[in-house]
């Protein structure tokens, strides 16, 4: 299974809820399945010419399985696992999916000045977020040593190959679900499906209208550690949504809260007042990556970055025992159904 570095947040923080009721004459079809260590759910409006749900599910499952065979770091014989096990100086031919993801990760890395990095697996293990060891706070020497095996700048795409000049391990989990949401949506469109909602492991994209002329609507959770409460409901048409936060996968030690979201520069979990960030974007892959970028940058620098890049983003910030929310103008417009 391809497991996501930010899976506990993206899965838990975004409730892909279908709002409203349909009568028996409304042809809304839904399929479910498993992928990337979690689940998927796809809904669409069918007509007399639509493919049967069984055929749609077959094609989706084949797409997801092919992707996991290439990209899963939990499958020891996947292409990415073999690349990770290879020494420094290795170049490996890769399928288009991995080339696309590494290229996108490079764009995010450069645009965010290093706040996004797909080579942090060794740090995740050191802190106990990956592997069998329990959570712990390592000393500075251990962090410095492990950082010698990270760094996106030591990774390149050359034609149809991915190359590394350092002993690196890639984990594209922080983009994988969003990327495949986009690919599945493209496949649905190619099948003639114009109104759909695709959700994979919590990353979501929707377009078109439900029967009755209403947009698809999703619920975004309030960042609570123990329970799930809808903070707001968003209409979604032609956009994707992704949430990253620190309230699902974390540990506490000596009064400090350490989340699974890492600052690539320090090699440590981000420590700040920003609890969660939700991003709306036409591309699910970009929404997936940008929500991580903003969380890493924090409530102030992240806000400045979102405004500079005209992002539709919702920031949920801890204040005392509660939370305050701050929305960019782009997010407010989409929340109100303006496009």
């Amino acid at each position: 299974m391809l497991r996501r570095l930010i899976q506990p947040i993206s899965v838990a923080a975004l409730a892909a809820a279908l709002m409203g009721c349909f009568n028996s004459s409304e042809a809304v079809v839904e399929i479910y399945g498993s992928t990337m260590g979690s689940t998927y759910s796809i809904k669409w409006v069918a007509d007399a010419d639509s493919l049967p749900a069984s055929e749609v599910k077959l094609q989706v499952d084949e797409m997801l399985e092919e992707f996991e065979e290439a990209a899963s770091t939990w499958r020891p014989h996947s292409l990415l696992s073999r690349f990770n096990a290879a020494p420094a100086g290795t170049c490996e031919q890769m399928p288009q999916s991995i080339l696309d993801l590494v290229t996108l990760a490079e764009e995010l890395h450069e645009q965010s000045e290093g706040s996004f990095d797909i080579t942090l697996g060794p740090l995740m293990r050191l802190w106990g977020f990956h592997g069998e060891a329990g959570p712990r706070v390592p000393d500075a020497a251990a962090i410095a040593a492990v950082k010698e095996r990270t760094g996106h700048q030591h990774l390149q795409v050359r034609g149809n190959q991915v190359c590394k000049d350092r002993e690196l391990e890639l984990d594209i989990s922080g983009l994988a679900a969003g990327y495949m949401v986009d690919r599945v949506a493209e496949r649905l469109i190619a099948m003639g499906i114009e109104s759909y909602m695709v959700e994979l492991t919590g990353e979501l994209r929707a377009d078109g209208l439900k029967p009755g002329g209403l947009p698809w609507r999703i619920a975004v959770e309030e960042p609570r550690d123990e329970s799930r409460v809808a903070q707001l409901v968003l209409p979604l048409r032609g956009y994707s949504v992704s949430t990253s936060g620190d309230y699902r996968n974390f540990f506490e030690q000596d009064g400090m809260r350490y989340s699974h979201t890492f600052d690539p520069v320090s090699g440590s979990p981000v420590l700040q007042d920003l609890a969660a960030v939700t991003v709306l974007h036409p591309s699910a892959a970009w929404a997936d990556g940008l929500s991580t970028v903003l969380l890493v940058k924090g409530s102030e620098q992240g806000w400045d970055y979102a405004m500079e890049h005209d992002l539709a983003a919702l920031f949920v910030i801890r204040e005392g025992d509660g939370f305050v929310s701050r929305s960019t103008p782009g997010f407010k417009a989409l929340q109100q159904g303006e496009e």
Side-chain angles (χ1 to χ4, degrees):
M1 295 178 292
L2 191 153
R3 300 179 186 269
R4 297 168 42 74
L5 280 177
I6 60 171
Q7 175 192 354
I9 299 310
S10 292
V11 172
L14 181 63
L18 179 62
M19 311 301 290
C21 301
F22 303 105
N23 61 47
S24 59
S25 66
E26 293 172 324
V28 175
V29 183
E30 183 170 7
I31 58 174
Y32 300 91
S34 300
T35 188
M36 305 183 196
S38 187
T39 61
Y40 73 79
S41 171
I42 302 172
K43 303 175 177 76
W44 70 93
V45 178
D47 58 31
D49 298 324
S50 298
L51 289 174
S54 58
E55 176 61 25
V56 176
K57 180 172 171 55
L58 178 63
Q59 292 194 34
V60 169
D61 286 343
E62 288 178 347
M63 290 176 63
L64 295 172
E65 174 61 21
E66 180 181 1
F67 179 71
E68 289 207 64
E69 274 295 295
S72 174
T73 56
W74 292 81
R75 298 187 181 188
H77 302 297
S78 73
L79 294 176
L80 203 58
S81 291
R82 293 205 299 268
F83 178 78
N84 287 346
T90 294
C91 288
E92 292 282 354
Q93 184 171 326
M94 291 292 180
Q96 192 61 47
S97 59
I98 293 181
L99 297 174
D100 289 344
L101 284 163
V102 174
T103 300
L104 173 56
E106 183 173 355
E107 291 183 52
L108 286 165
H109 180 79
E110 292 179 353
Q111 289 183 15
S112 67
E113 298 181 336
S115 293
F116 192 90
D117 197 312
I118 60 173
T119 71
L120 303 184
L123 284 168
M124 300 288 286
R125 285 197 300 275
L126 178 67
W127 284 80
F129 287 102
H130 278 182
E132 298 179 358
R136 60 197 177 279
V137 178
D139 60 37
I143 294 173
V146 170
K147 282 183 65 179
E148 291 299 314
R149 294 187 284 117
T150 67
H152 191 104
Q153 65 272 22
H154 300 284
L155 181 69
Q156 303 88 35
V157 173
R158 300 173 185 169
N160 63 354
Q161 293 186 321
V162 177
C163 304
K164 57 182 179 181
D165 58 33
R166 173 182 280 192
E167 184 183 346
L168 295 179
E169 299 176 26
L170 308 190
D171 191 329
I172 45 77
S173 297
L175 295 170
Y179 177 82
M180 288 309 294
V181 165
D182 289 334
R183 302 291 79 76
V184 170
E186 290 170 0
R187 180 66 62 89
L188 295 179
I189 293 169
M191 295 178 187
I193 296 172
E194 298 180 351
S195 180
Y196 59 83
M197 183 168 70
V198 177
E199 178 267 325
L200 306 182
T201 80
E203 308 305 317
L204 188 147
R205 171 172 160 176
D207 204 354
L209 298 173
K210 297 181 297 183
L214 296 175
W216 302 95
R217 296 167 69 84
I218 60 95
V220 177
E221 281 186 359
E222 187 174 284
R224 298 188 181 186
D225 296 341
E226 296 85 11
S227 61
R228 297 184 177 185
V229 178
Q231 178 181 10
L232 53 86
V233 176
L234 296 170
L236 207 61
R237 186 176 184 186
Y239 276 82
S240 304
V241 58
S242 177
T243 297
S244 294
D246 71 352
Y247 57 97
R248 291 294 181 193
N249 190 10
F250 65 92
F251 69 91
E252 294 181 344
Q253 182 173 317
D254 300 328
M256 300 293 290
R257 180 190 188 103
Y258 299 95
S259 80
H260 68 300
T261 302
F262 275 65
D263 178 356
V265 176
S266 69
S268 303
V270 293
L271 300 173
Q272 52 174 295
D273 60 351
L274 184 57
V277 183
T278 296
V279 172
L280 301 176
H281 194 280
S283 163
W286 274 95
D288 206 352
L290 286 168
S291 64
T292 300
V293 167
L294 298 183
L295 186 67
V296 170
K297 286 188 174 295
S299 59
E300 295 184 6
Q301 292 185 16
W303 176 265
D304 292 342
Y305 184 93
M307 294 296 290
E308 179 184 352
H309 291 84
D310 195 25
L311 301 180
L314 168 69
F315 292 73
V316 181
I317 303 163
R318 287 188 176 85
E319 188 174 275
D321 294 330
F323 302 96
V324 294
S325 298
R326 190 180 188 190
S327 303
T328 64
F331 189 93
K332 291 179 181 177
L334 291 171
Q335 184 180 359
Q336 296 165 3
E338 303 171 8
E339 296 185 20

